[in-house]
Amino acid sequence: MSKVLAILFKGGEFNTPKLLGSAENALGLKKFIEENGRSIFSTSDKGSTIDEHIKDAEIVISTPFNPVYITKERIESAKNLKLLVTAGVGSDHIDLDYIEKSGRDISVLEVTGSNTTSVAEHALLTILSLIKNFIPAHESIKEGKWDIARIARDAYDLEGKTVGTIGCGRIGYKVLERLYPFKPKELLYYDYQGLTPELEQKVGAKRVDSIEELVSKCDVVNISAPLHSGTKGLINKQLLSKFKDGAYLVNTARGAICVPEDVAEALKNGKLRGYGGDVWYPQPPPADHPWRTMANKYGDGNAMTPHISGSNLDAQARYSLGVKDILTSYFSGKFDYRPQDIILLHGEYATKAYGADKKVKLAK
């Protein structure tokens, strides 16, 4: 019997049927998969267990939130592998280039749109938490303090500020939609392709010609771009030097888009007033990762979370249903997947977000 290997997060003692993304609940798809003539092995272990079971797996399902890295070596060992499914959005934990170059008949799909609302809301939450200096205020109360001046000296309004997004695809645009009611001074975006005039007008957004222009004008910079060789390390010391002094940077895309040490230094020296996001590299990060403890001159400005934005219960329900739809298409032999879900189809790239053309292409 062919095997489906699902690598999800550990539910723990509070696991419930609603926690579909956990290894214990296996996306709620165990019965469905078995009814289609496959066995399923679900785990949260990312080490030797994967290496043991991937060897005879036909299908591997993984998440970008607690990713197992599907490397060249693991793909080579998986002689029966036909389908890789990302339960969520973002397949950069898979060696896509190797699959494409190998000539093997392997398809890679993800559930596009499943976490769009969840991540956009989290980005807005992070922006507000930073600009209002909310986290230090909350921590001070837990510590039994009542020092209003300490918090207020670095707290501002979002209204009247210039905010920009690097990447204005599905998530980036939803971030702009949620920012618009706050009456910012200006909403800017950078992407390789522009929005339609109607969409720009709806949120009052303006496209800029370069990332350098965007960061030089913005009080708040949001990152909503996919990770590939054109965006890896994009936010580095050189680009950070172009930022407005005291800007805020929010990243709910991928941790590797930023150089951790450069971001931490920019926060320490005042170039950045705050950095927030819930994406790291690697995931989970080591105990000494600079983003765990970095701070601005006041000891604040850190708004990091453990990649929770796209894996809340509503998002889990959506990506569980999306994985089921992908598997239904695969099991039928029709392979009539939603076009927007396809990264590689039978070993060939089907999207500009990943692939041979590695210019800074950001829409996702």
Side-chain angles (χ1 to χ4, degrees):
M1 180 181 289
S2 298
K3 179 188 290 183
V4 177
L5 174 59
I7 310 124
L8 304 162
F9 59 79
K10 187 172 178 59
E13 60 179 305
F14 300 110
N15 188 43
T16 70
K18 289 184 179 180
L19 204 60
L20 295 173
S22 68
E24 293 86 345
N25 286 332
L27 297 171
L29 299 179
K30 184 176 187 294
K31 181 179 179 182
F32 166 75
I33 289 170
E34 291 175 344
E35 287 176 346
N36 279 275
R38 275 77 172 176
S39 65
I40 179 169
F41 180 82
S42 183
T43 182
S44 62
D45 179 74
K46 300 200 295 181
S48 58
T49 301
I50 302 303
D51 296 324
E52 175 187 352
H53 288 276
I54 201 171
K55 291 178 181 179
D56 58 353
E58 176 189 1
I59 301 166
V60 175
I61 303 168
S62 56
T63 76
F65 318 113
N66 189 35
V68 59
Y69 295 97
I70 309 297
T71 61
K72 170 186 174 181
E73 291 74 22
R74 282 177 165 159
I75 296 166
E76 285 180 335
S77 74
K79 303 302 182 183
N80 300 324
L81 185 62
K82 292 293 183 181
L83 180 65
L84 288 160
V85 183
T86 297
V89 178
S91 298
D92 47 88
H93 59 291
I94 299 169
D95 193 335
L96 302 170
D97 287 341
Y98 171 72
I99 295 173
E100 192 266 342
K101 292 174 183 176
S102 72
R104 290 183 59 182
D105 183 11
I106 298 173
S107 296
V108 180
L109 287 96
E110 56 188 44
V111 189
T112 298
S114 59
N115 63 3
T116 303
T117 294
S118 308
V119 176
E121 288 184 359
H122 193 95
L124 179 60
L125 166 70
T126 307
I127 290 169
L128 288 171
S129 295
L130 285 171
I131 207 164
K132 295 293 184 183
N133 217 18
F134 176 83
I135 295 170
H138 173 67
E139 292 297 323
S140 73
I141 290 298
K142 288 173 62 178
E143 294 166 3
K145 300 176 182 178
W146 191 267
D147 190 349
I148 295 173
R150 182 194 178 284
I151 306 303
R153 69 186 175 188
D154 210 26
Y156 303 86
D157 290 334
L158 184 53
E159 183 174 322
K161 304 299 186 294
T162 298
V163 187
T165 182
I166 299 173
C168 197
R170 293 176 180 86
I171 294 174
Y173 187 75
K174 277 190 174 286
V175 172
L176 295 182
E177 282 186 318
R178 283 151 180 75
L179 288 166
Y180 181 66
F182 286 87
K183 299 180 180 179
K185 178 182 178 181
E186 198 169 23
L187 284 178
L188 305 176
Y189 74 96
Y190 172 79
D191 211 319
Y192 76 99
Q193 61 183 8
L195 299 168
T196 65
E198 292 76 17
L199 288 176
E200 284 189 346
Q201 186 176 9
K202 183 180 177 182
V203 296
K206 177 183 176 183
R207 184 186 181 197
V208 297
D209 293 330
S210 69
I211 294 176
E212 289 79 7
E213 179 184 358
L214 182 137
V215 302
S216 70
K217 293 181 176 180
C218 287
D219 302 295
V220 181
V221 175
N222 170 70
I223 303 173
S224 293
L227 175 66
H228 51 64
S229 63
T231 57
K232 186 175 182 180
L234 176 68
I235 309 298
N236 53 29
K237 186 174 183 178
Q238 181 179 0
L239 185 60
L240 284 163
S241 71
K242 310 292 184 182
F243 276 59
K244 289 179 67 174
D245 290 342
Y248 298 93
L249 178 59
V250 170
N251 179 13
T252 55
R254 285 294 182 268
I257 292 174
C258 298
V259 177
E261 296 78 11
D262 293 353
V263 169
E265 179 58 30
L267 194 60
K268 182 179 179 181
N269 66 29
K271 174 54 74 171
L272 293 178
R273 182 173 278 114
Y275 178 87
D278 78 326
V279 286
W280 308 69
Y281 182 79
Q283 292 188 167
D288 62 351
H289 195 290
W291 290 354
R292 289 185 182 271
T293 56
M294 65 182 178
N296 62 23
K297 64 180 180 180
Y298 298 124
D300 306 326
N302 187 332
M304 297 302 299
T305 52
H307 208 165
I308 188 64
S309 64
S311 57
N312 62 34
L313 292 179
D314 291 321
Q316 286 181 46
R318 289 190 292 266
Y319 65 69
S320 171
L321 180 60
V323 170
K324 184 177 182 180
D325 288 344
I326 290 169
L327 293 179
T328 298
S329 178
Y330 175 80
F331 292 148
S332 73
K334 296 178 180 178
F335 310 122
D336 53 347
Y337 309 115
R338 295 193 311 167
Q340 62 266 38
D341 291 345
I342 305 171
I343 307 303
L344 287 167
L345 184 61
H346 305 302
E348 296 185 1
Y349 276 110
T351 176
K352 291 182 180 179
Y354 305 93
D357 186 359
K358 295 296 188 176
K359 295 178 182 178
V360 185
K361 292 193 171 183
L362 303 175
K364 183 66 175 168

